[in-house]
Amino acid sequence: MHGLAVWLTASRTRALFGAVLVAFLSLLLPFGTWLSGAFIVLLALSDSKPLQDWLAALLSAITLGWWLSLAGAGPVPVVLLAAALVVPAWSLGRVLARGGSLNLVFQLATLVALIFLGTVHAVLADPPGVWRPFLQRLASELDQVAAVMSNVGSGHRPRDVNLIEASAERMWGVVTWLLLLNTMIALFVGLYWSGIKTGATRLGPAFRGLMAGKTLSALGVLVTACALIFRWDVAADATWVFLGAFVLQGLAVLHAARWGMKWNGAWLGVTYVLLFLPFTTLLVQGVLATVGLADNWLAIRTRFVAPPQS
């Protein structure tokens, strides 16, 4: 990793080549959409400013857009998705490069996600309507696959209209949370890669101290209460963003506990596995989000300090 990072950032030509290559890989590899952003963050944190991270970001966005258009996406989704995968990571990478902390960019990313959601609900007359055609096509395709596998014959299967409508109602919240997660993973990997290049430990201490802060945590509680009491759509969508942010902070608390108490890392690996298993995802997310939220007020991770050696 060190040699690759040094080689790709040794000259402007290599950096721009790397931006294009990583953009291709980010859509080819499963769950690799953060790769382009991570490379842009690495360039932003590089001491060699002639590498021009903004130009690499532009090339990455163009490459992603071209790749998406070949896959059949329309011009508007192409522009929006390419920008969403590159611009947040680039802008927040510049904040890191100018001395900003990981906590600062985490809080900024969360605020930008909330502002984006508010804009969507203010501009669109029917925000869920954007997702209904997509979900209906997806349901139709899944019905056809299920029909073939079960030898149903005609292939006609009734769809759960209520399920499609419920999914459409919350899609903006889920998608915004996924974009926040994608941006933060890009920042984590870019910071880690930068540390490998320079021989410094940059990600570990910063991630173990990750905090949303009391202001965002109080806002999260208020928004969740509004979603439960008043059934506001924008508040319900914003709850997903806060859930994701506090899950990340909960993971930071777990890493701080493992590091401070010198515990075995096996249980941490089990936590990550359970986090992504369909039957345990909601439970683990709820526990992590609760721990992350409470940490803003109770400073839970400060309790995880290894006792002095006698």
Side-chain angles (χ1 to χ4, degrees), residues 6 8 44:
V6 171
L8 287 175

Side-chain angles (χ1 to χ4, degrees), residues 94-177:
R94 295 298 294 267
V95 174
L96 281 177
R98 294 184 178 184
S101 65
L102 188 61
N103 278 348
L104 176 61
V105 297
F106 176 46
Q107 294 162 8
L108 287 175
T110 305
L111 285 174
V112 169
L114 294 171
I115 292 172
F116 169 75
L117 268 181
T119 303
V120 165
H121 282 270
V123 171
L124 298 180
D126 181 23
V130 174
W131 298 104
R132 288 191 192 102
F134 167 76
L135 292 172
Q136 288 168 355
R137 288 196 301 269
L138 179 62
S140 178
E141 292 174 1
L142 290 177
D143 284 344
Q144 292 175 8
V145 172
V148 171
M149 293 180 64
S150 59
N151 296 319
V152 171
S154 64
H156 176 72
R157 295 165 63 89
R159 300 193 198 105
D160 190 344
V161 177
N162 293 331
L163 179 60
I164 293 176
E165 183 62 28
S167 300
E169 289 288 337
R170 296 285 73 83
M171 275 298 289
W172 280 113
V174 174
V175 168
T176 305
W177 149 231

